[in-house]
Amino acid sequence: MITYEWLYVLAGVGFAVWALLSLRDRLWGNAGFWALLAASFLIGSHVSDLVNGLLVLAMVAIAGFGGLRRSDPSTTSVEERQALSARLGNRLFLPALVVPLTAVAGTLLYNYTPFGETGLFETRRETLILFGVGVVVALVLAMLWLRPPWLAPAEEGRRLLDSIGWAAILPQMLAALGAVFALAGVGDIIGGVAGDVIPKGSVFLTVLVFALGMALFTMIMGNAFAAFPVMAAAIGIPLLVQQYGGNPAVIGAVGMLAGFCGTLMTPMAANFNIVPAALLELKDQNGVIRQQIGTALPLWVCNVAIIYVGAFLLWN
């Protein structure tokens, strides 16, 4: 059976390759950072929480003391890239489309054909596993089609990752922070306050506070995956689902989308909003956020309406 652990190994191998390439180029801080991250993926499931915590603290130390530097490995020349672009045009994006197509088509085939009876994939992990399979398939097809130097994918991946730096793992860390907050009882505290403030029986106000909390906590924590455990424990499950009998699928899915509206409006989501501004060398580091606010606010209003109508009026 192919399990979720295989994805960890795949990611760990990728980070290990980048660490070795950084070591070759004497980028000691980069090599150490990516090696530690590779170790967390490769052995994280087999060591204690203390060891995993020490790995994280070591990565924080490297990043905090400015140990990460941008790399510029040589792969294909500018002339070669321009020639490929002129010859292939938008067909260059075909390998990127292989990844989602593999995940979607593979999931449908696995779940709705006899192929699913083989038990090849871990239960409820099929889509994520097939997403990883899609990455490998896309890489192989791109190599056979474009025939770049063998190390080009690794070198270009390292160049992009080094440009992003520590922000590349920010979503992972913030998601873990959300779990810590949930275990610490932050959701229960917020739920108690919300219960005192929201009038009993007011479904719409409860939906409004839930969606607003998702957006605000996402803006504070930088990631909707970090905000969701807190707001689900505070309002989503005890009030919207258990007390008012709302549709949990709609509340969960659209509630996350309300959180993503907060992602569009915060510099804490550095990998989405600050890194692109830096890579594009924009003079206004908040320029990306300014452009997204006009989309985020009306989208958030729509999310409130969808939760209220879809999870309660249509559901009940």
Side-chain angles (χ1 to χ4, degrees), residues 11-292:
V13 169
F15 287 119
V17 170
W18 289 324
L20 291 173
L21 292 174
S22 297
L23 191 64
R24 181 202 64 188
D25 293 343
R26 299 187 178 184
L27 296 172
W28 312 119
N30 297 43
F33 188 88
W34 303 126
L36 289 168
L37 187 58
S40 71
F41 277 100
L42 293 172
I43 66 171
S45 302
H46 309 285
V47 297
S48 66
D49 293 340
L50 175 61
V51 174
N52 280 302
L54 291 174
L55 291 174
V56 172
L57 290 176
M59 286 189 288
V60 170
I62 293 173
F65 284 103
L68 293 176
R69 293 165 50 194
R70 296 181 70 167
S71 61
D72 189 21
S74 59
T75 53
T76 53
S77 65
V78 175
E79 292 75 15
E80 289 175 317
R81 297 178 190 181
Q82 291 176 342
L84 280 173
S85 177
R87 180 165 59 89
L88 299 174
N90 290 333
R91 285 181 293 169
L92 284 170
F93 293 99
L94 289 176
L97 296 176
V98 170
V99 180
L101 286 175
T102 302
V104 174
T107 300
L108 293 175
L109 288 173
Y110 189 79
N111 288 329
Y112 297 102
T113 67
F115 183 52
E117 299 176 2
T118 62
L120 180 63
F121 301 130
E122 181 181 353
T123 306
R124 299 178 64 183
R125 304 291 190 184
E126 301 91 345
T127 302
L128 289 173
I129 294 172
L130 286 165
F131 189 85
V133 172
V135 171
V136 176
V137 171
L139 176 61
V140 172
L141 290 178
M143 291 293 291
L144 293 175
W145 178 34
L146 302 175
R147 298 189 181 279
W150 281 103
L151 279 179
E155 294 284 24
E156 287 298 325
R158 178 168 71 101
R159 179 187 60 78
L160 179 61
L161 204 61
D162 287 344
S163 298
I164 299 173
W166 57 266
I169 65 170
L170 191 59
Q172 183 184 359
M173 286 193 165
L174 290 173
L177 180 63
V180 172
F181 274 29
L183 291 173
V186 176
D188 296 333
I189 296 173
I190 296 174
V193 174
D196 295 335
V197 173
I198 302 172
K200 291 186 178 180
S202 179
V203 177
F204 179 76
L205 280 180
T206 307
V207 170
L208 187 66
V209 172
F210 172 69
L212 183 62
M214 279 297 302
L216 291 178
F217 261 86
T218 299
M219 293 177 70
I220 294 170
M221 305 171 87
N223 192 296
F225 290 99
F228 187 76
V230 176
M231 293 308 301
I235 299 175
I237 296 175
L239 296 180
L240 294 179
V241 175
Q242 295 178 344
Q243 184 170 333
Y244 296 128
N247 185 331
V250 175
I251 293 169
V254 186
M256 283 293 294
L257 189 55
F260 295 148
C261 293
T263 301
L264 297 174
M265 300 186 290
T266 177
M268 287 298 293
N271 54 320
F272 291 107
N273 300 330
I274 301 302
V275 171
L279 292 177
L280 295 172
E281 298 181 353
L282 300 180
K283 293 181 179 180
D284 183 3
Q285 291 298 302
N286 292 317
V288 174
I289 297 174
R290 296 183 198 280
Q291 294 298 317
Q292 293 173 164

Side-chain angles (χ1 to χ4, degrees), residues 203 245-247 250 305-316:
V203 177
N247 185 331
V250 175
I306 292 171
I307 294 176
Y308 182 64
V309 174
F312 295 98
L313 298 186
L314 297 180
W315 177 251
N316 295 323

